[in-house]
Amino acid sequence: MSRALLAGRMQPEGRSVCVFLPDREQLSLTVGVKATGQELFQQVCDLVKIKEPHFFGLSIVKNNEYVFIDLEQKLSKYFSKEWKKETNKGTEKFSPPFVAFFRVQYYVENGRVISDKVARQLYYCHLKEQVLMSRCNHKEEIYFLLAAYSLQADLGNYREEVHTGKYFEPQAYFPQWIIAKRGSDYILKHAPEMHREQQGLSAKEAVLKFIKESCLLEDVPVHFYRLQKDKKEDRPTVILGLTLRGMHIYQEVNHVRQLLYDFPWSHIGKLAFLGKKFEIQPDGLPSARKLVYYTGCPFRSRHLLQLLSNSHRLFLNIQPVLKQIQKLEEAEEKKRYRESYISDTLDMDLDPCDKNSRGSGSSVGSRRDNRLSRQSTGSHGSSHTSGIEADSRHRVSVEMSVDEPFSIDRVHRKEKSCSSTISYGSSGIDSGSKGRAEDDSQDDDLELAVDEPEEVPVDEPLGRDQLEEATVKEAVESLPLDAASCQ
């Protein structure tokens, strides 16, 4: 046997993977049989040219749910058994590729936290798809406002000579239930009017407004996972929703979600995964009042543990950044309001010819934008004060006990090198906690404690550009997310 033939046989075989992006684009990639999730994730980032993929992850669909891949694990652990089978060169071209999804893993309600332009655009596309599947019947007006922002971001300023007739497809900007309720003619008549009101709004500002308003819909920035009330149930009847600020528990009746419990992070005393059993103990209530559900298998328990733990730490760590951004937005809004008030006062004293010179479309559009911006900012600010601030008196600990040994430390092994400000205690394992001392005899029990968020010191108020490039980037990169954030 020749050396060339031997070397050819010793080369690792490749596997074709089709990765779907939030903007509905598809990437055809090839990785080795023993490749890890990080290798595939890095290929996607290189091709898309995304520099800060901190809020994204790779996922597969399993039992109609998105399961996020642990990037340090091999891909063979998540794909079907066909992954490890040797490919036959005669039939290789007929074998379908494996499918993965590059999608948002961690939600934030303010797009200014995402400083990378490509990442922000993909985040916007993901939320846009979520809005099309949203069904908040009592907030129908928000969908029309979101469509106006989206049309402004996608098509720019409304122009009479271009945007006439059916210049957009209603199903690309509205959920199907609104189209069925109102009809396409109604949408094509009223949506352009709201699009026209966004005159002068830049594409970036339109995207930021879309992100902020879409996160007010409770079924948009959320991950859903089905649970069972009893392990003997034929099918799951309970839905766990991982939201921006905590967890929702729904009961499914006739394929309609009904909210049973709303648990902000500050109101959760303990989360425990014991094999297939999932326990929620609300803060301030005795252990006998805990809620018990079943995940179906230890694999799902481990996945939910990692996702819940990382999401909660992100929520705590990002609060100082969101508060600072909110202060800057409020200061800018007051300044814009004063400028608009002064401009309106001056217009009353100007000659008609001067009014024509000053009253161009851009200035009119900016004043309309100011009016809309004040309304949306006010409504969003109320949600900030009601749910975002974590209660400093409470700490959330997460326990896990599964049939198979599972170490959380490796999830954060690479993350410690990202920033020296992350202590060992805040990276996942609280070795000095009381609960851990009591359970030292059990090797497969893990208790996770999350430290309170560190305040971001600011000597002088930063400008918006400085904030996006410095403070936000530093804070986001220090979040204990997947290993991809260290790249």
Side-chain angles (χ1 to χ4, degrees):
M1 182 180 296
S2 65
R3 291 186 179 181
L5 181 60
L6 181 62
R9 290 190 176 183
M10 292 178 63
Q11 289 180 356
E13 297 179 353
R15 295 291 182 265
S16 298
V17 182
C18 180
V19 180
F20 288 84
L21 302 178
D23 57 0
R24 300 186 180 183
E25 292 292 328
Q26 301 178 23
L27 300 179
S28 298
L29 305 175
T30 302
V31 295
V33 179
K34 298 182 179 180
T36 63
Q38 179 61 44
E39 296 178 44
L40 180 60
F41 188 84
Q42 193 61 50
Q43 279 198 46
V44 175
C45 294
D46 293 340
L47 286 175
V48 179
K49 297 181 180 179
I50 179 173
K51 299 177 182 178
E52 298 178 4
H54 312 293
F55 299 100
F56 294 86
L58 283 176
S59 66
I60 61 171
V61 175
K62 192 170 184 178
N63 297 326
N64 293 324
E65 291 180 350
Y66 287 102
V67 177
F68 287 97
I69 296 174
D70 183 351
L71 298 184
E72 292 188 356
Q73 294 291 330
K74 292 182 179 180
L75 294 173
S76 58
K77 182 178 180 180
Y78 293 90
F79 290 108
S80 63
K81 295 180 180 180
E82 301 294 328
W83 181 273
K84 291 185 178 181
K85 289 185 178 180
E86 294 184 3
T87 58
N88 189 341
K89 292 184 178 181
T91 61
E92 184 177 1
K93 59 181 179 180
F94 300 107
S95 59
F98 298 92
V99 177
F101 298 85
F102 184 83
R103 56 188 280 112
V104 173
Q105 186 170 4
Y106 304 102
Y107 288 104
V108 287
E109 67 267 33
N110 196 313
R112 299 191 189 280
V113 176
I114 309 173
S115 57
D116 182 22
K117 182 178 179 181
V118 177
R120 191 190 303 119
Q121 182 66 22
L122 290 177
Y123 189 87
Y124 156 72
C125 292
H126 176 92
L127 289 183
K128 189 177 177 182
E129 292 294 321
Q130 292 287 95
V131 168
L132 295 181
M133 297 183 292
S134 173
R135 193 179 183 90
C136 297
N137 297 345
H138 58 292
K139 297 182 178 180
E140 186 175 344
E141 69 282 356
I142 292 185
Y143 295 97
F144 280 86
L145 183 60
L146 290 174
Y149 290 148
S150 189
L151 287 170
Q152 183 71 15
D154 298 344
L155 306 178
N157 290 331
Y158 180 87
R159 292 180 293 170
E160 295 286 353
E161 65 277 10
V162 176
H163 301 140
T164 58
K166 190 177 181 180
Y167 69 94
F168 68 93
E169 294 293 337
Q171 58 268 25
Y173 293 91
F174 289 89
Q176 187 59 41
W177 67 270
I178 290 185
I179 300 176
K181 178 181 178 180
R182 297 294 181 180
S184 296
D185 293 338
Y186 180 91
I187 291 175
L188 292 172
K189 177 182 178 181
H190 293 280
E193 297 177 2
M194 300 191 68
H195 180 196
R196 188 187 295 110
E197 291 183 356
Q198 313 309 317
Q199 186 81 15
L201 194 66
S202 67
K204 177 182 177 181
E205 288 297 327
V207 166
L208 292 176
K209 287 179 178 291
F210 183 94
I211 293 174
K212 181 176 290 187
E213 293 294 332
S214 64
C215 287
L216 297 179
L217 300 173
E218 53 265 24
D219 59 353
V220 170
V222 60
H223 297 300
F224 291 110
Y225 295 96
R226 297 182 178 275
L227 302 174
Q228 296 171 290
K229 284 185 178 180
D230 188 273
K231 53 185 175 182
K232 296 181 180 180
E233 280 187 339
D234 296 335
R235 62 182 185 86
T237 58
V238 176
I239 299 176
L240 166 67
L242 175 57
T243 68
L244 281 166
R245 302 171 182 87
M247 295 188 308
H248 287 171
I249 302 296
Y250 300 89
Q251 183 176 6
E252 192 174 38
V253 179
N254 296 327
H255 303 287
V256 177
R257 291 190 298 266
Q258 298 179 355
L259 182 63
L260 296 178
Y261 304 100
D262 181 1
F263 293 122
W265 290 122
S266 57
H267 293 174
I268 300 176
K270 185 170 63 175
L271 297 175
F273 291 86
L274 309 171
K276 302 176 183 180
K277 188 164 61 173
F278 173 43
E279 298 180 355
I280 305 174
Q281 183 174 335
D283 186 72
L285 296 179
S287 58
R289 298 289 301 275
K290 63 187 177 184
L291 303 175
V292 179
Y293 302 106
Y294 295 87
T295 60
C297 65
F299 175 83
R300 294 190 71 221
S301 297
R302 290 195 297 271
H303 172 256
L304 284 175
L305 168 64
Q306 181 175 343
L307 187 59
L308 289 170
S309 177
N310 287 350
S311 298
H312 179 245
R313 280 194 294 271
L314 183 146
F315 171 81
L316 291 179
N317 289 332
I318 210 170
Q319 294 313 299
V321 181
L322 290 176
K323 290 177 182 178
Q324 191 171 8
I325 291 177
Q326 184 180 2
K327 290 179 180 179
L328 288 176
E329 289 179 340
E330 291 174 353
E332 185 180 272
E333 190 61 33
K334 291 179 181 179
K335 180 181 177 182
R336 186 186 295 120
Y337 179 79
R338 287 195 301 267
E339 291 176 351
S340 176
Y341 178 79
I342 294 173
S343 176
D344 292 342
T345 305
L346 289 176
D347 284 344
M348 297 174 62
D349 300 329
L350 290 175
D351 294 333
C353 59
D354 294 332
K355 291 182 181 180
N356 293 333
S357 63
R358 287 172 54 87
S360 60
S362 60
S363 62
V364 173
S366 64
R367 285 198 294 274
R368 288 174 178 170
D369 174 48
N370 293 339
R371 173 173 55 82
L372 287 175
S373 178
R374 283 195 293 274
Q375 294 172 353
S376 61
T377 304
S379 62
H380 194 69
S382 62
S383 64
H384 269 58
T385 57
S386 62
I388 277 190
E389 295 186 5
D391 192 343
S392 59
R393 295 173 298 175
H394 302 297
R395 294 163 60 94
V396 177
S397 61
V398 183
E399 294 183 346
M400 174 178 174
S401 174
V402 295
D403 298 338
E404 303 174 11
F406 178 69
S407 174
I408 299 299
D409 182 48
R410 62 172 177 73
V411 177
H412 309 289
R413 191 176 301 131
K414 291 187 179 181
E415 296 160 3
K416 296 180 200 174
S417 62
C418 290
S419 173
S420 60
T421 60
I422 304 178
S423 63
Y424 183 75
S426 63
S427 64
I429 299 181
D430 187 0
S431 58
S433 62
K434 181 179 178 181
R436 180 63 181 176
E438 295 175 354
D439 297 333
D440 280 339
S441 59
Q442 300 181 7
D443 295 336
D444 57 347
D445 289 352
L446 294 178
E447 179 174 330
L448 305 181
V450 183
D451 293 340
E452 297 299 329
E454 297 181 0
E455 293 295 332
V456 179
V458 181
D459 298 330
E460 298 179 1
L462 297 178
R464 173 165 295 174
D465 294 337
Q466 292 175 306
L467 181 63
E468 291 182 359
E469 294 177 1
T471 310
V472 174
K473 183 177 180 180
E474 179 181 355
V476 174
E477 287 184 347
S478 66
L479 296 179
L481 306 181
D482 287 324
S485 62
C486 294
Q487 298 303 318

